[in-house]
Amino acid sequence: MSSSINGIGTYIKQLIACMSEMEVQITILMFNSGEESFCIKEKDGIKYFNFPAFPEMEVQKYSSVINKILRLYILDSYDNLFLMNYSPGAIFMKMIRRYFPLSKQVYVIHDMVWTMSLFGNVDEYIRILKLRNDKANIEEYSYLIKAFDEEVEMCKYADKVICLSEDTYKLLEKYYPIDKSKLVLIHNFIFHRESLWSEIDKSKFREKMFIKQKEKILLYVGRVIEQKGIIVYIEAFKEILKKYPACMLVIIGTIPNRRYVMKKCYPFITKIHFTGPISREELAKWYQVADIGILPSYTEQCSYVGLEMMTYKLPIVASDGFGIRCMFNHKNAEIAAIGKRDSIDQFRKGLIDSTLKLLNKEFKNDESIEYVECDKYSPEKNKRLYQSCFHIL
């Protein structure tokens, strides 16, 4: 199952490339696809089962309908593998286990409910889990405990559970009552690498966009929401401008609460450029001309934006958030410690100091970080892990 949220679209594309050498038929179930009625399409040898939008976008409530359609087109077999990229999905996985008993299921953890709710504060989440039988705790955090129970149930129905970061793997290994032998750690990776532009090409793009040649471009890519740390970074950017005026902040992504965000940008809004959602081709151009990548998330699993920034050899300002800290350290980025979640003071200061440090440093072409090339994110290594995971089921 696929989704446009949390980089799952990119994940599916990379996974398809990963499985290109395997003799398999790939079928992607697209829920809430935008089609008016159920239809099957095929492109580049891949079948797409397009389901129309369900009322209130509630997929699980209509698992019985989905089941009837799947049973018309999919024959239960030991060779079948359902790869679950959708959560919560325990009801759906239970349905598959019942009506496709020979088939196998793999659950890929792209996100967890608690990460956004608690801004990646894993210590607070563990405290809640330890007290989940306490009546007062159950009432206050009922939604998190319910989500925890559902995630445990999904792991129960899965034959393998793929974690994309060390943080998630360790959390499940230590605190989730599941079969630990099911856990597999496979990082995200990027097969296709862009060739870097020359300085002449970069200058042409700047001229086209009316950006001064000496003005530094700070690039953020992602949804503009509190949990991504961008609101705190906008507050930090106001102070950064006072000490380094020759820079601009480019924000690429959807803005759910536009009025609130615009208000936060005053009085420096003319130094912040919002592109909104753009195509992959346009995004690549901004990666090419950016001077510094900004990744201030409170929580991620294994950020494709982070991988892309490293691919384009950008110096990076990153947080020490859950999952992010597995990707970046003081050797390959400038790290801003988040500190207490109920105050942004420490985090904001860290973002200011980290950004100014990079702005005041001159980088040579051969000096940029190439951490993405290391074995941890190697496409070939992770390709073998996926193929091994699928073959042993």
Side-chain angles (χ1 to χ4, degrees):
M1 295 194 295
S2 183
S3 171
S4 61
I5 303 173
N6 302 328
I8 298 177
T10 303
Y11 173 85
I12 294 297
K13 291 178 182 178
Q14 298 299 322
L15 187 63
I16 289 172
C18 171
M19 299 173 67
S20 61
E21 297 177 5
M22 300 174 68
E23 295 182 2
V24 295
Q25 169 64 58
I26 300 174
T27 300
I28 298 179
L29 310 185
M30 301 289 291
F31 297 136
N32 303 314
S33 66
E35 299 286 347
E36 293 184 3
S37 59
F38 174 78
C39 63
I40 299 176
K41 296 182 178 181
E42 187 167 337
K43 182 180 179 181
D44 299 327
I46 299 171
K47 289 183 179 180
Y48 293 83
F49 284 19
N50 295 291
F51 291 81
F54 295 105
E56 299 179 350
M57 310 295 276
E58 290 280 357
V59 174
Q60 289 211 93
K61 285 185 179 179
Y62 301 91
S63 59
S64 60
V65 176
I66 296 169
N67 170 51
K68 290 177 182 178
I69 293 177
L70 294 185
R71 291 171 71 186
L72 287 174
Y73 297 98
I74 299 177
L75 181 66
D76 188 27
S77 166
Y78 286 113
D79 295 326
N80 280 356
L81 173 64
F82 287 86
L83 191 70
M84 182 63 124
N85 295 292
Y86 185 92
S87 183
I91 294 175
F92 189 81
M93 293 182 74
K94 182 179 181 180
M95 179 269 290
I96 292 175
R97 180 62 68 217
R98 179 179 178 183
Y99 293 101
F100 296 87
L102 303 180
S103 301
K104 303 298 182 182
Q105 297 187 69
V106 173
Y107 169 33
V108 185
I109 300 179
H110 293 281
D111 204 358
M112 307 175 85
V113 172
W114 74 268
T115 56
M116 287 296 186
S117 299
L118 299 179
F119 284 71
N121 189 343
V122 68
D123 293 332
E124 174 66 6
Y125 182 55
I126 292 170
R127 184 191 71 80
I128 292 169
L129 292 184
K130 288 181 177 179
L131 297 173
R132 66 179 180 272
N133 294 322
D134 179 81
K135 184 177 181 181
N137 192 63
I138 290 174
E139 291 177 355
E140 183 177 0
Y141 299 106
S142 59
Y143 66 103
L144 289 182
I145 296 171
K146 182 180 178 181
F148 167 79
D149 291 337
E150 174 131 12
E151 288 164 356
V152 169
E153 190 174 3
M154 291 178 73
C155 292
K156 169 188 171 184
Y157 292 121
D159 295 281
K160 288 291 181 182
V161 179
I162 295 179
C163 302
L164 303 176
S165 75
E166 290 88 346
D167 273 348
T168 298
Y169 185 96
K170 292 174 183 176
L171 178 67
L172 267 67
E173 183 182 45
K174 190 170 182 180
Y175 295 102
Y176 278 55
I178 60 176
D179 181 354
K180 306 304 189 289
S181 66
K182 293 182 179 182
L183 298 178
V184 182
L185 174 63
I186 308 180
H187 299 100
N188 283 336
F189 52 91
I190 299 176
F191 266 104
H192 182 63
R193 306 289 169 82
E194 298 286 345
S195 57
L196 299 181
W197 281 359
S198 66
E199 291 302 317
I200 295 176
D201 292 329
K202 293 180 181 180
S203 294
K204 288 181 178 178
F205 182 81
R206 282 175 171 267
E207 289 176 7
K208 180 181 177 181
M209 301 301 293
F210 297 95
I211 301 172
K212 296 177 182 179
Q213 294 297 332
K214 292 186 178 180
E215 191 165 34
K216 299 285 187 179
I217 299 175
L218 313 180
L219 180 64
Y220 168 86
V221 180
R223 287 174 293 159
V224 185
I225 58 175
E226 296 274 3
Q227 291 89 338
K228 292 291 185 179
I230 184 58
I231 304 302
V232 179
Y233 194 82
I234 288 173
E235 294 293 336
F237 184 63
K238 296 175 183 179
E239 299 302 316
I240 293 167
L241 277 174
K242 293 176 182 178
K243 297 184 179 181
Y244 201 106
C247 67
M248 65 181 294
L249 174 61
V250 176
I251 297 177
I252 298 176
T254 57
I255 311 173
N257 192 345
R258 191 173 187 85
R259 180 177 295 181
Y260 169 74
V261 173
M262 293 300 110
K263 187 176 180 180
K264 286 286 185 181
C265 294
Y266 282 96
F268 302 101
I269 194 167
T270 57
K271 299 291 286 183
I272 303 176
H273 177 56
F274 292 93
T275 70
I278 59 177
S279 67
R280 298 295 304 178
E281 292 74 20
E282 287 300 309
L283 174 59
K285 295 175 183 178
W286 284 106
Y287 277 133
Q288 293 278 14
V289 300
D291 295 286
I292 298 172
I294 307 299
L295 196 61
S297 294
Y298 284 92
T299 173
E300 297 281 350
Q301 289 299 320
C302 185
S303 170
Y304 276 113
V305 170
L307 293 177
E308 289 166 350
M309 287 178 173
M310 288 189 280
T311 296
Y312 285 95
K313 300 184 179 181
L314 294 182
I316 295 170
V317 172
S319 74
D320 64 347
F322 184 86
I324 290 287
R325 62 190 181 188
C326 301
M327 298 182 69
F328 299 100
N329 52 54
H330 290 288
K331 294 181 180 179
N332 66 345
E334 290 298 325
I335 307 298
I338 294 172
K340 296 180 179 179
R341 264 56 173 189
D342 58 358
S343 172
I344 68 168
D345 292 345
Q346 179 182 344
F347 193 19
R348 180 177 55 197
K349 184 178 185 306
L351 291 170
I352 294 169
D353 294 344
S354 296
T355 303
L356 288 173
K357 185 174 181 180
L358 290 181
L359 283 171
N360 290 307
K361 182 177 180 181
E362 292 297 327
F363 289 92
K364 299 177 181 178
N365 290 335
D366 60 349
E367 193 178 6
S368 300
I369 299 298
E370 294 189 61
Y371 189 69
V372 75
E373 301 293 343
C374 81
D375 188 57
K376 184 175 180 178
Y377 303 110
S378 163
E380 290 305 317
K381 173 193 173 182
N382 290 300
K383 179 179 178 180
R384 290 193 298 271
L385 288 174
Y386 270 109
Q387 292 176 346
S388 175
C389 179
F390 295 161
H391 275 137
I392 64 174
L393 292 175

